[in-house]
Amino acid sequence: MSLGLYLHIPYCFSKCRYCDFYSAPGQRGVPRAYVDALLRELSRFAPDAPLRPDTLYFGGGTPSLLDPADAARLIAAAQPLPGAEVTLEANPETVTEDSLRAFREAGVNRISFGVQSARDSQLKTLGRPHTAKQARAAFAAARRAGFENISGDIMLALPHYTQAEFDETLELIEDGGAVHISAYLLKIEPDSAFGRTPPEGLPTSDEAADFYLYAVEQLEHHGYRQYEISNFARPGYEGKHNLIYWDCGDYLGIGPAAHSCMGGKRFYYPADTEAFLRDEAAPVMDGGCGAEDYLILQLRLRKGLSLDEYKKRYGREFSTAQLAFVKNCVKSGYANFDGHTLALTPAGLIVQNSILAELL
């Protein structure tokens, strides 16, 4: 079975106004002591041999604040399998051609830029520290550094949002050479700055749904096939790491607030960087990963849920009432169902939570 390894880098320049991820703002780099702590934990999970993951993902925070030499140390310790996907999340203002070339030489073969918008006024509203010009420069630098597998993030339904803003952002990312795009609806999280002080000009839920459907249509038109609710790729460039999550495979997350699921058991590290550095943050068990998780995660994917695989893995079958509900979803344009595979349409993905409430 595949193994995905996630290394959390919690450090960043500043906290974006929409962000509620665990991070430590005000940093210009990643302390060597933190890298040492990650190496310590890696050795605990693989005391006698390397983990040999199929994918390795540096997430954050801002992983591009890592010294490329430290990234090399971490990759060498994990020893990903030959051909493994090794991803580094990056903010445009933190990279140069030289640093990207060094990350490439360290073993990173996929770069993911947080762009969000092509409008500087919107980036300022979001609290993003980069400009559209810096985003364009980062994509160009990544290509010159030898990256072919390049991803870009877009945020939808932002304050005072328009279809024109999406078009401009898609043009920036596509022209930058991205083969993968993640497009997320803005969600106001209670623990974020936006949660404490919501911005003006937010779209209604119906308007946000329209922006989402427009984005799906345009991305598909530009050759980015939707394979998950928020993810689109040119053929062959789907994100392998996140597919391990969505297929309920084994994944190990290391670092404060990092979550794991190994052998059907979930656990996580406490969200406390200082405790992690002091070796006082042992993983906490968090239940199991079972049939309900599988159903929820598979219905995020455009390929959908195979009822045969569902039965094979968990011994579960849809009841007569569930099948009747599925048929109604098909009639309403929310799903496709051939008797074996249930797949939600883009319209169905918008109301996914309501559909899941009836199926669980």
Side-chain angles (χ1 to χ4, degrees):
M1 182 176 285
S2 297
L3 171 66
L5 174 62
Y6 174 89
L7 299 179
H8 189 59
I9 309 298
Y11 303 96
C12 54
F13 281 171
S14 58
K15 193 84 167 177
C16 299
R17 295 192 177 101
Y18 57 84
C19 180
D20 76 336
F21 290 160
Y22 179 72
S23 63
Q27 302 292 322
R28 295 286 163 176
V30 178
R32 183 62 57 83
Y34 184 78
V35 176
D36 290 340
L38 290 175
L39 290 167
R40 178 195 70 217
E41 294 303 299
L42 278 170
S43 68
R44 283 183 173 158
F45 280 101
D48 302 316
L51 288 169
R52 307 310 304 274
D54 298 83
T55 66
L56 196 165
Y57 195 101
F58 291 93
T62 307
S64 48
L65 291 178
L66 269 171
D67 185 314
D70 285 332
R73 292 171 65 206
L74 291 164
I75 294 169
Q79 289 192 26
L81 289 170
E85 175 191 271
V86 181
T87 302
L88 181 88
E89 290 183 345
N91 281 358
E93 78 283 357
T94 65
V95 298
T96 64
E97 183 177 342
D98 286 344
S99 70
L100 288 166
R101 195 177 301 279
F103 280 123
R104 188 78 181 87
E105 292 171 354
V108 176
N109 55 30
R110 182 173 184 266
I111 197 85
S112 180
F113 289 118
V115 177
Q116 318 314 352
S117 175
R119 294 188 175 178
D120 288 348
S121 58
Q122 188 72 270
L123 293 171
K124 186 175 181 180
T125 297
L126 295 173
R128 297 292 293 178
H130 73 272
T131 64
K133 181 179 180 180
Q134 287 175 310
R136 291 187 183 93
F139 279 105
R143 295 198 308 274
R144 291 194 302 270
F147 281 98
E148 296 179 0
N149 198 344
I150 303 173
S151 181
D153 288 0
I154 296 175
M155 295 194 77
L156 310 172
L158 299 168
H160 305 291
Y161 202 64
T162 63
Q163 291 181 352
E165 181 174 349
F166 172 83
D167 293 341
E168 293 168 23
T169 308
L170 174 56
E171 181 181 16
L172 186 160
I173 293 177
E174 184 177 24
D175 288 352
V179 294
H180 183 281
I181 293 177
S182 298
Y184 303 100
L185 285 166
L186 173 65
K187 184 179 179 182
I188 304 299
E189 302 287 356
D191 291 334
S192 69
F194 274 175
R196 293 184 289 274
T197 308
E200 296 180 355
L202 287 173
T204 65
S205 57
D206 286 344
E207 290 170 338
D210 288 341
F211 284 130
Y212 174 78
L213 293 174
Y214 178 78
V216 172
E217 177 185 288
Q218 291 302 309
L219 286 161
E220 295 266 7
H221 179 70
H222 284 256
Y224 296 96
R225 185 183 67 85
Q226 184 180 32
Y227 68 97
E228 192 266 347
I229 185 170
S230 299
N231 286 277
F232 307 77
R234 300 210 187 280
Y237 286 98
E238 296 82 3
K240 295 177 183 177
H241 183 80
N242 282 350
L243 281 169
I244 291 176
Y245 296 160
W246 299 320
D247 285 333
C248 278
D250 283 347
Y251 57 90
L252 173 63
I254 296 180
H259 286 248
S260 305
C261 185
M262 301 281 284
K265 297 184 183 299
R266 295 186 183 277
F267 54 92
Y268 65 91
Y269 284 88
D272 187 334
T273 300
E274 292 305 315
F276 184 77
L277 288 170
R278 294 193 305 267
D279 197 9
E280 297 174 357
V284 178
M285 299 308 297
D286 192 32
C289 180
E292 290 188 358
D293 301 272
Y294 185 73
L295 186 151
I296 291 168
L297 292 168
Q298 289 289 285
L299 287 181
R300 292 179 64 96
L301 301 172
R302 284 298 299 272
K303 73 177 178 67
L305 170 73
S306 165
L307 299 194
D308 294 336
E309 184 66 19
Y310 187 49
K311 181 179 180 180
K312 179 181 176 182
R313 290 181 67 155
Y314 301 102
R316 296 283 189 92
E317 294 183 277
F318 278 7
S319 67
T320 301
Q322 286 173 313
L323 289 172
F325 173 74
V326 166
K327 291 179 181 178
N328 285 333
C329 288
V330 172
K331 290 179 183 177
S332 301
Y334 292 138
N336 296 311
F337 184 57
D338 62 4
H340 297 280
T341 301
L342 170 63
L344 301 186
T345 64
L349 289 169
I350 293 172
V351 295
Q352 181 193 46
N353 288 341
S354 298
I355 292 173
L356 289 172
E358 295 291 333
L359 292 177
L360 292 174

